[in-house]
Amino acid sequence: MSSELEVPFRPKRKKTLVDFFVQFRWIIVIFVVLPISSTIYFLLYLGDVRSEWKSYKTRQKEHDENVKKVVKRLKSRNAAKDGLVCTARKPYIAVGMRNVDYKRARHFEVDLAAFRNILDIDVENMVAKVEPLVNMGQISRATVPLNVSLAVVAELDDLTVGGLINGYGIEGSSHIYGLFADTVVAYEIVLADGKVVRATKDNEYSELFYAIPWSQGTLGLLVSAEIKLIPIKEYMRLTYTPVKGSLQEVAQGYIDSFAPKDGDQDNPKKVPDFVEGMVYNSSEGVMMTGRYASKEEAKKKGNVINSCGWWFKPWFYQHAQTALDRGEFVEYIPTRDYYHRHTRSLYWEGKLIIPFGDQLWFRFLLGWLMPPKVSLLKATQGEAIRNYYHENHVIQDMLVPLYKVGDALEWVHREMEVYPLWLCPHRLFRLPVKTMIYPEPGFEQHKRQGDTSYAQMFTDVGVYYAPGPILRGEVFDGAEAVRKMEKWLLENHGFQPQYAVSELNEKDFWRMFDASLYEKARRKYGAVGTFMSVYYKSKKGRKSEKEVAEAEKERAEVETPDAEEE
């Protein structure tokens, strides 16, 4: 290992009672969380089937009635007496890992629980109209049999449309289509005054349209979205390619897997439909590229079909790791199985939740119960265990320019030593207005690998697992590691998704994200004084009613400065 990758010396840490509870938490997960999770999944499935049986007209009528209830509820709010508006979902329901402590301050709840239906799948115009609580498993189950799909299908079944739009969503097709929010055609939003508007990129609400992504529901209440569909085929032809060498060489192998060196990034013959990389240690990774394939092609003699969605199958990341010994290989995976390949094991977090969950005996006997619902894991962990995870565990995503991926991998190795690492590319489009996240100024002049004249290629470096020091029983300061990561991102034009635990103060938050359009939309559409600002909603720790009220009052009187130009 090169000297640049040497990790700092850390002394041994003393174990506490919480370590014991975490070590044996799998008992609660197996006997409590998994049975309840599977019951909830089954009941939700029955609800989805019932919804699908209804006609389009009936679903739309019920939607309109539910929107009227939201409008009525909003208009009943007394701004002088009631707290800020938030949804009625319990804090632990969110899939994100940050504490949703803003709801501890006085607040005015609006119930959106009924908004979990697919309203229409318009194959002629290639648009799906869905409500915000529709999740990825639900919509892929409805679209894939029609040989269409959302352009970007986030991997985990439980992730919802509303969360992916207001927060952050990515998939292996994002190197073509961008982040999840980039595939949205129109938003239906209930504004602070109860007005219902439809925002598109070219109508009178275009500013709102561009301001919604990353806003965490602080501009209005999303009640439906129209999302782009693409044609697909029954299978994914997946090529597993091992890459060995230094982390910079692994990063270059990843870049070469989907970004033509001649800059022909829009040529479908040179660019795969799907891309994903997994880095297993400081010198080895496996890059996967996928192309849609017909049933006829997949079933040709000699081709290998891997129906990886079965509960007893090896966890996907472990299956991919076999390429390090086997060498490059190709197989065909049913498209929907491929979309949700990381669901059963929650990427590789399942190994920490149930240490023997990847064993053959467990997969055969109880694998059908996987995965545990993230919301139930959060609900059963308690404050002490939650704080333990914040200090001794990392669940972060680093969105970095593609040409800086090697530097990011080296940084993570030095400071966190988390493996495996997930790599997923995405386009960051140059838009007519400057949104909260934006490409590097002048990126197009450099003509770097993966970039085009209209979009800079970024990569999500997914850092999810217990750091090496923790696994070795050494001292590790999780909060300090996140602060260092955020500093690195600020220095390298990177972004941190807001679902994660953040240590940013308000000044640095608005150095990372551009405030100009967001604050303009907040004022124009009456969100100030009605919805909490996105910084306070994302901020770590508890928020008192006084703190929140004072922050909103200040925003009503003073313009928030634009983010600093880099």
Side-chain angles (χ1 to χ4, degrees):
M1 186 186 297
S2 66
S3 60
E4 290 80 9
L5 289 184
E6 288 183 3
V7 298
F9 169 78
R10 294 181 175 94
K12 293 290 184 180
R13 63 184 286 270
K14 293 182 179 179
K15 290 197 172 183
T16 66
L17 189 60
V18 180
D19 287 278
F20 174 82
F21 286 128
V22 170
Q23 183 180 353
F24 291 99
R25 193 166 170 236
W26 58 266
I27 298 174
I28 297 295
V29 173
I30 288 179
F31 292 104
V32 178
V33 175
L34 283 182
I36 296 176
S37 294
S38 61
T39 302
I40 292 174
Y41 284 131
F42 180 67
L43 293 175
L44 290 175
Y45 170 74
L46 292 180
D48 296 343
V49 171
R50 182 170 171 267
S51 174
E52 289 170 14
W53 284 345
K54 296 177 183 177
S55 67
Y56 162 74
K57 189 177 290 186
T58 299
R59 277 177 281 176
Q60 187 63 49
K61 182 181 178 182
E62 289 178 356
H63 171 78
D64 293 340
E65 289 172 353
N66 288 327
V67 170
K68 288 177 183 177
K69 292 177 185 177
V70 171
V71 171
K72 183 179 180 182
R73 173 67 175 161
L74 267 180
K75 288 185 173 181
S76 72
R77 174 176 172 264
N78 185 329
K81 295 180 180 180
D82 295 324
L84 296 174
V85 172
C86 69
T87 63
R89 294 177 85 192
K90 297 300 180 186
Y92 60 81
I93 294 295
V95 177
M97 298 313 296
R98 60 183 167 84
N99 295 348
V100 195
D101 284 328
Y102 63 88
K103 291 190 178 183
R104 296 181 189 271
R106 183 165 58 98
H107 56 273
F108 182 85
E109 291 186 344
V110 179
D111 190 357
L112 299 181
F115 292 88
R116 62 173 325 274
N117 297 300
I118 298 171
L119 299 176
D120 189 29
I121 298 172
D122 185 349
V123 177
E124 185 177 340
N125 294 306
M126 295 302 278
V127 171
K129 185 177 181 182
V130 299
E131 292 181 326
L133 293 184
V134 168
N135 65 37
M136 293 298 98
Q138 180 182 354
I139 198 163
S140 67
R141 190 165 54 243
T143 57
V144 169
L146 302 176
N147 277 357
V148 297
S149 169
L150 296 185
V152 174
V153 183
E155 288 89 350
L156 303 183
D157 284 25
D158 256 5
L159 297 174
T160 63
V161 166
L164 296 168
I165 287 172
N166 282 299
Y168 159 75
I170 192 172
E171 212 330 3
S173 58
S174 289
H175 66 296
I176 299 172
Y177 302 104
L179 298 177
F180 188 88
D182 292 316
T183 68
V184 177
V185 176
Y187 301 110
E188 185 183 13
I189 304 287
V190 182
L191 300 177
D193 62 359
K195 185 178 180 181
V196 182
V197 302
R198 181 176 181 269
T200 70
K201 65 180 179 181
D202 50 14
N203 73 0
E204 61 183 303
Y205 298 103
S206 62
E207 287 180 326
L208 181 62
F209 177 85
Y210 285 116
I212 287 292
W214 295 75
S215 68
Q216 297 289 334
T218 61
L219 294 173
L221 297 174
L222 176 69
V223 289
S224 77
E226 296 163 48
I227 309 172
K228 177 179 181 175
L229 292 171
I230 60 169
I232 64 169
K233 296 179 182 177
E234 295 89 350
Y235 284 84
M236 188 67 65
R237 182 185 188 275
L238 198 63
T239 302
Y240 302 78
T241 304
V243 180
K244 300 183 181 184
S246 68
L247 285 175
Q248 290 288 350
E249 290 170 331
V250 169
Q252 190 58 52
Y254 159 72
I255 293 169
D256 291 342
S257 71
F258 70 94
K261 291 183 178 179
D262 61 4
D264 199 7
Q265 193 64 44
D266 288 321
N267 189 336
K269 293 181 180 179
K270 298 179 182 179
V271 178
D273 296 320
F274 274 78
V275 182
E276 175 180 39
M278 286 185 270
V279 183
Y280 291 95
N281 54 56
S282 62
S283 61
E284 294 180 318
V286 176
M287 309 308 150
M288 286 144 282
T289 54
R291 290 184 179 274
Y292 287 112
S294 66
K295 183 165 54 177
E296 291 74 24
E297 178 187 341
K299 294 190 175 181
K300 284 182 179 177
K301 188 176 180 180
N303 288 343
V304 175
I305 292 178
N306 177 15
S307 299
C308 65
W310 287 105
W311 74 88
F312 50 80
K313 286 280 190 171
W315 289 355
F316 184 78
Y317 80 96
Q318 294 178 339
H319 172 66
Q321 191 174 7
T322 62
L324 294 174
D325 296 323
R326 293 171 60 181
E328 182 173 292
F329 67 96
V330 177
E331 63 185 15
Y332 291 78
I333 300 177
T335 296
R336 189 164 184 267
D337 284 9
Y338 177 76
Y339 284 163
H340 303 294
R341 62 199 177 279
H342 293 300
T343 290
R344 194 153 36 92
S345 58
L346 296 174
Y347 287 88
W348 28 88
E349 286 285 320
K351 184 70 174 172
L352 286 177
I353 298 167
I354 304 176
F356 44 81
D358 58 342
Q359 299 299 306
L360 184 64
W361 67 267
F362 180 88
R363 296 201 315 267
F364 263 99
L365 294 177
L366 296 174
W368 58 276
L369 289 170
M370 292 289 281
K373 282 188 75 69
V374 174
S375 56
L376 280 175
L377 289 173
K378 291 168 67 178
T380 57
Q381 68 186 12
E383 184 117 5
I385 293 179
R386 181 171 64 179
N387 291 335
Y388 174 94
Y389 281 129
H390 286 171
E391 287 299 319
N392 302 297
H393 195 88
V394 180
I395 296 186
Q396 295 281 347
D397 288 88
M398 303 169 67
L399 307 191
V400 301
L402 181 62
Y403 70 96
K404 293 186 177 181
V405 169
D407 295 341
L409 294 180
E410 290 182 341
W411 186 92
V412 172
H413 179 85
R414 284 194 305 269
E415 299 295 337
M416 294 178 173
E417 278 190 276
V418 171
Y419 291 103
L421 294 171
W422 188 59
L423 300 178
C424 187
H426 70 91
R427 274 179 166 158
L428 195 49
F429 294 100
R430 185 170 58 184
L431 300 171
V433 291
K434 194 175 185 182
T435 56
M436 282 181 68
I437 65 169
Y438 53 96
E440 291 179 299
F443 74 89
E444 69 280 359
Q445 297 170 13
H446 297 281
K447 297 183 178 178
R448 298 187 182 97
Q449 200 172 345
D451 292 353
T452 60
S453 60
Y454 58 88
Q456 184 177 14
M457 195 67 76
F458 269 60
T459 280
D460 180 337
V461 180
V463 190
Y464 328 122
Y465 208 62
I470 293 297
L471 297 176
R472 293 192 298 268
E474 299 169 0
V475 169
F476 180 81
D477 187 337
E480 180 60 24
V482 170
R483 280 191 285 271
K484 288 181 178 179
M485 182 197 78
E486 290 165 341
K487 182 175 184 290
W488 190 91
L489 289 172
L490 285 168
E491 292 170 350
N492 290 275
H493 195 87
F495 303 97
Q496 175 193 33
Q498 298 148 351
Y499 81 87
V501 176
S502 173
E503 299 289 338
L504 289 170
N505 58 38
E506 188 166 12
K507 179 182 177 182
D508 285 339
F509 184 88
W510 291 119
R511 283 180 62 210
M512 181 176 289
F513 302 103
D514 190 86
S516 51
L517 178 65
Y518 171 74
E519 286 296 339
K520 183 179 180 181
R522 290 258 297 162
R523 285 170 170 75
K524 183 174 181 178
Y525 298 107
V528 177
T530 301
F531 300 101
M532 184 181 292
S533 81
V534 67
Y535 167 70
Y536 270 84
K537 194 167 184 181
S538 304
K539 181 183 176 184
K540 179 182 177 182
R542 299 186 179 187
K543 293 86 171 171
S544 68
E545 179 185 341
K546 181 179 178 182
E547 179 187 18
V548 171
E550 287 178 351
E552 282 303 296
K553 184 179 179 181
E554 185 179 327
R555 274 168 178 74
E557 298 170 353
V558 182
E559 285 285 341
T560 300
D562 292 357
E564 297 175 11
E565 289 285 348
E566 298 196 3

